[in-house]
Amino acid sequence: MLKTFMILMKKEFYNFFISMFFYLALIINLIFSFFFRHSSFTLNYIPVFSTLIIPLLTMHLWTEETEMQNVLPVSDLELIFSKLFSTLIIYLILNIPLLIVSIINLKEFEIIITAFFLIILYSCSAISLCLLLNLFANNKTISFFISFLLLFLFTFINKIVYYLNVNLFFQKIFNYFSFSWRYNAASKGIFDSRDIFYFIFLTLINIILILFFKNKFKNQKEINYFIPVTTFILLLILSSIMYFRIDITENKRYSLSKETKNILSSIYEPIHITWYTSKNLKYITPAIDEIQNMLIEVSENKNIILQKLIIDKNTSAKQFLKSFNIEPLQIEKFSDIYSAIVIEYENFTESIPLILSSDNLEYILASNLKKIAHDININCQILSGTESEINSDFPYIQNALSAYGI
């Protein structure tokens, strides 16, 4: 079996190297790498590049299938995996210039590891999807355009529906399937099991569907594929409910540091943390999950009482926030967006007016908890060229400093 598989792999590599599409993909990649040679986020553009390159690499893969199966006793599974892995290897070779540019400019190897790992999983699912689609296309050009359009939608569907008047329920579904949405954690140096298992199970489902349709086209005895497909779908749903996240960034910037844990361990009286948020906020940015995860990690201390409050129709909560000069935001098509945190301890209250990212959230929470629980203040002096009052003339400065516990 292994010997046959290696023969198939050699055949696929030979076909790639004599194909004009491989060299066209290589030229596109080199041009792409040249234009983004100074960018520190080159890896973030690989999905854009992939929507064009993967269809170019896969559009010819089923051309000589019949001839090969007549010469060698080749199973469909061997054939599928040889095409999948050979295309994946060629795809990764094409991405070497982009990877080198990322290493030179980004210099954060942890982010490169998580981002490139997820890109590999994404490419497996994208290649297997193109292999499935190409079964139904007799023409290479049609095959390319169908694969390109579906990969483009598969990658950017969340951004497309964001600007359309799509029902929020469907927007949530589209976000679930979007690669750019799922890439958010990996682009920050976080392994998220939900994203990893999503692409693994999607690849397996595509492979099973390829086997099913190949047998159907050959009029062979049908095998019951319902059970494995259903199993993978159920496991996919389960992986979204039960998951883990591993922060491998150098300073564990998306996890609680030792200093913050020491502050939390020194709290002996109940402190209430309330996150006032809008229902639509989760459709705007995937970073909301990271905010929630950090707040949950903080609340593991038994004296921290965490509450998440959706305040879209809660007038009293809006009035309460207004007393802290916290006003709603207008974010493109979404109006009255809130994402504020209020920390209450005995008769003391501190507010964080706006949180849309987990960046600096740990420091902001730790500073406010230290201030409110231990009465430790951080002072800041502001020099002004005019006789101005900070509270009346520059209220936004006061709100910003207050968020950082100053």
Side-chain angles (χ1 to χ4, degrees):
M1 182 176 178
L2 181 60
K3 186 177 179 180
T4 305
F5 180 74
M6 294 307 297
I7 292 173
L8 289 171
M9 288 285 287
K10 289 178 182 178
K11 165 196 167 284
E12 295 297 340
F13 284 132
Y14 175 78
N15 286 339
F16 274 121
F17 291 126
I18 65 172
S19 169
M20 62 173 287
F21 301 112
F22 167 75
Y23 296 100
L24 179 60
L26 179 60
I27 292 169
I28 292 172
N29 183 273
L30 291 174
I31 293 172
F32 199 84
S33 302
F34 175 78
F35 279 107
F36 291 93
R37 66 189 184 279
H38 299 305
S39 173
S40 58
F41 301 100
T42 311
L43 284 177
N44 295 352
Y45 300 118
I46 288 182
V48 183
F49 157 81
S50 301
T51 59
L52 181 63
I53 297 305
I54 291 178
L56 274 175
L57 295 177
T58 57
M59 59 190 288
H60 70 284
L61 287 181
W62 293 116
T63 306
E64 300 175 1
E65 171 216 341
T66 306
E67 289 81 351
M68 176 57 71
Q69 285 189 304
N70 289 334
V71 174
L72 291 173
V74 178
S75 69
D76 287 333
L77 203 57
E78 287 175 318
L79 199 64
I80 293 166
F81 276 109
S82 67
K83 293 180 183 297
L84 175 62
F85 286 117
S86 61
T87 309
L88 176 63
I89 292 169
I90 293 294
Y91 171 80
L92 294 179
I93 291 172
L94 289 173
N95 278 312
I96 288 175
L98 290 172
L99 183 61
I100 292 172
V101 169
S102 298
I103 292 172
I104 293 171
N105 293 330
L106 188 58
K107 296 178 181 176
E108 290 189 64
F109 293 103
E110 300 84 6
I111 293 177
I112 292 172
I113 290 169
T114 54
F116 203 69
F117 176 73
L118 201 70
I119 285 169
I120 292 173
L121 295 182
Y122 159 75
S123 61
C124 285
S125 62
I127 292 167
S128 62
L129 178 62
C130 288
L131 286 173
L132 175 62
L133 295 172
N134 292 348
L135 282 176
F136 302 93
N138 297 323
N139 184 284
K140 290 181 182 180
T141 306
I142 295 173
S143 171
F144 169 79
F145 280 109
I146 292 175
S147 298
F148 169 75
L149 288 173
L150 280 180
L151 273 190
F152 186 86
L153 287 174
F154 178 65
T155 305
F156 302 110
I157 188 65
N158 70 305
K159 298 184 184 297
I160 295 171
V161 299
Y162 179 79
Y163 293 103
L164 300 175
N165 238 347
V166 178
N167 181 281
L168 292 179
F169 172 76
F170 291 108
Q171 187 164 336
K172 183 178 181 180
I173 294 174
F174 290 136
N175 286 344
Y176 178 84
F177 288 105
S178 170
F179 172 77
S180 59
W181 186 271
R182 290 189 169 277
Y183 183 68
N184 180 69
S187 67
K188 296 179 177 179
I190 300 171
F191 283 117
D192 192 318
S193 64
R194 292 171 295 184
D195 304 327
I196 293 171
F197 287 118
Y198 170 76
F199 289 113
I200 290 175
F201 289 135
L202 188 61
T203 302
L204 293 173
I205 290 170
N206 286 334
I207 290 172
I208 291 173
L209 290 175
I210 293 170
L211 285 170
F212 171 77
F213 285 110
K214 280 185 67 61
N215 284 330
K216 199 171 184 66
F217 293 155
K218 294 178 185 176
N219 294 320
Q220 292 182 353
K221 183 180 178 181
E222 290 191 11
I223 303 171
N224 188 354
Y225 295 100
F226 176 76
I227 294 176
V229 170
T230 305
T231 302
F232 288 139
I233 291 174
L234 290 175
L235 288 172
L236 186 59
I237 295 170
L238 184 63
S239 68
S240 298
I241 300 170
M242 302 175 62
Y243 62 91
F244 60 86
R245 290 161 60 91
I246 302 175
D247 178 5
I248 68 166
T249 54
E250 184 177 359
N251 299 318
K252 303 292 181 185
R253 70 184 72 161
Y254 300 104
S255 306
L256 295 185
S257 64
K258 184 178 179 181
E259 291 75 13
T260 301
K261 289 178 180 178
N262 289 337
I263 292 172
L264 290 170
S265 64
S266 65
I267 295 173
Y268 302 106
E269 298 295 331
I271 292 180
H272 293 261
I273 298 178
T274 307
W275 182 24
Y276 295 88
T277 182
S278 300
K279 183 179 179 180
N280 293 341
L281 192 61
K282 61 184 177 182
Y283 303 111
I284 297 173
T285 170
I288 296 307
D289 283 342
E290 295 167 14
I291 296 173
Q292 182 166 295
N293 289 331
M294 184 161 287
L295 288 172
I296 290 172
E297 192 174 355
V298 168
S299 67
E300 288 177 359
N301 181 300
K302 63 181 181 180
N303 291 314
I304 301 293
I305 302 167
L306 177 65
Q307 182 183 11
K308 180 182 177 182
L309 189 61
I310 306 294
I311 65 168
D312 296 285
K313 298 180 181 179
N314 193 326
T315 307
S316 60
K318 291 180 180 179
Q319 290 297 324
F320 176 71
L321 291 179
K322 200 169 185 178
S323 67
F324 294 98
N325 295 320
I326 298 175
E327 298 290 342
L329 291 176
Q330 171 76 35
I331 303 179
E332 296 183 1
K333 69 174 185 175
F334 295 103
S335 59
D336 292 342
I337 296 295
Y338 287 91
S339 181
I341 296 173
V342 175
I343 304 172
E344 299 171 280
Y345 172 69
E346 294 182 347
N347 295 323
F348 300 97
T349 305
E350 292 292 334
S351 65
I352 304 169
L354 179 64
I355 290 293
L356 291 176
S357 167
S358 59
D359 296 339
N360 300 320
L361 178 58
E362 181 193 1
Y363 173 78
I364 294 171
L365 286 171
S367 299
N368 279 281
L369 288 170
K370 194 173 182 180
K371 175 182 177 181
I372 203 170
H374 302 293
D375 196 25
I376 298 175
N377 291 312
I378 302 173
N379 296 317
C380 176
Q381 293 183 339
I382 299 175
L383 298 177
S384 174
T386 60
E387 294 183 4
S388 305
E389 291 291 331
I390 293 295
N391 291 336
S392 59
D393 297 329
F394 304 102
Y396 58 88
I397 294 180
Q398 182 60 43
N399 286 340
L401 294 176
S402 176
Y404 280 87
I406 298 174

